Amino acid sequence: MGVKFATTRFGELELPPERIISFPRGLIGFPHVLRFALIDHPGGGPFQWLQAVDFPELAFVVADPSLFFSGYSVAVSREELRSIGIERIDEGVVVVILVVPGDPRKITANLIGPIVINLRDRLARQLVLDAPEYTTRHYIFPQEEPAMAGAAQEEERSC
Amino acid sequence: MLVLSREPEQGIMIGEAVEVRVLEIQGGKVRLGIIAPQEVSVHRKEVFLNIQKENQAAAAAQAAGLAGAVQLLGGGPGSGKGVEPGEKARAAPPQEAADPRGGETEREAGRGVGRSGAKGVEMRKKAIVRKE
């Protein structure tokens, strides 16, 4: 018997219980959202959606950061890993949340707040890295005019 | 807001399990040590708030932008191809300026942050590629 839930983007979904991932602390800023499903983007590409099971309209685009940021690394304490039932970071899957405005070239990835998922036990957590080299907003595509691009991004985000 | 004056070596207790200790005061910077149970998250406030804000922005993903990104990557429905591996994207520069996390005071203060010795077992690993 699958878990049935409504979504605004994908309609009614029914997934096997093992596809439901628990975030015991929620996401940062969404502490009350405790269950998500990881769904491949129907339009293809290396993107996935973290769809909230209990909030139909709430979904985040995520991606494997290594596809866009070759040197990206996640330093995390053992306690944080243990809180989702793993001992080493490579026992889990790391994804980063994307902000997707209308202009695809302005898509950014949050590298300082990655999500680590223990797929075996279906437990996940958003981390806050202690890494000054990362911010919440890294373009996933190379920018031709960085200064201008940043200004444009602000406009995008305000609408 | 509760306001307390503390000297170096003094601290405060928050509940029975969380201790904040003043380690050092020098040149307008305060170094704090924090002892907390592992289930209590301790973060620099501005980083936490930035991530919170970014999560909220991410919740409003635009379908057109994502479709465009799939195109840019040379993919289409059912295709995961077209990504140039190792492509290095740059950080959005204005964010650096707008991000108060870079403040030396805070970063310096942060070095004193410890969580029951958690910092001693940090690991650094490359993000792994999803196998599913």
Side-chain angles (χ1 to χ4, degrees), chain B residues 10-124:
Chain B
Q10 293 184 326
I12 59 168
M13 295 297 298
I14 301 172
E16 296 189 357
V18 178
E19 179 181 352
V20 180
R21 207 180 291 167
V22 178
L23 301 178
E24 190 184 348
I25 305 171
Q26 200 175 36
K29 295 175 192 173
V30 180
R31 296 184 74 213
L32 302 174
I34 294 130
I35 299 167
Q38 56 176 272
E39 65 270 17
V40 175
S41 304
V42 179
H43 306 298
R44 290 177 182 78
K45 182 179 174 183
E46 66 280 5
V47 177
F48 186 84
L49 292 181
N50 270 342
I51 293 176
Q52 193 169 30
K53 198 177 80 183
E54 211 60 15
N55 279 353
Q56 274 151 8
Q62 294 189 24
L66 196 56
V70 173
Q71 292 258 311
L72 283 174
L73 292 167
S79 162
K81 304 275 187 279
V83 181
E84 284 180 40
E87 185 175 15
K88 186 111 182 169
R90 277 163 265 167
Q95 175 66 12
E96 292 287 344
D99 183 353
R101 180 180 46 77
E104 196 53 37
T105 303
E106 287 296 336
R107 209 179 298 166
E108 195 62 40
R111 290 201 188 117
V113 174
R115 292 178 45 203
S116 309
K119 296 292 171 188
V121 289
E122 273 190 358
M123 288 172 289
R124 201 166 262 274

Side-chain angles (χ1 to χ4, degrees), chain A residues 25 28 45 48 60 68 70 73-75 79 89 92 100-102 104-105 126 130 132 134 136-137 139 142-143, chain B residues 39 41 43-44 54-55 57-58 62 65 69 72 79 87 89-90 92 95-96 101 118 123-126 128-130:
Chain A
R25 296 154 184 261
I28 294 168
Q48 292 176 303
F60 301 88
F68 300 98
S70 54
S73 66
V74 173
E79 273 99 342
I89 188 79
V100 184
R105 294 195 175 275
Q126 185 171 24
D130 189 8
Y134 299 134
T136 52
R137 230 182 273 174
Y139 289 120
Q143 301 294 303
Chain B
E39 65 270 17
S41 304
H43 306 298
R44 290 177 182 78
E54 211 60 15
N55 279 353
Q62 294 189 24
L72 283 174
S79 162
E87 185 175 15
R90 277 163 265 167
Q95 175 66 12
E96 292 287 344
R101 180 180 46 77
M123 288 172 289
R124 201 166 262 274
K125 279 263 183 180
K126 284 195 77 164
I128 63 160
V129 181
R130 278 182 58 82

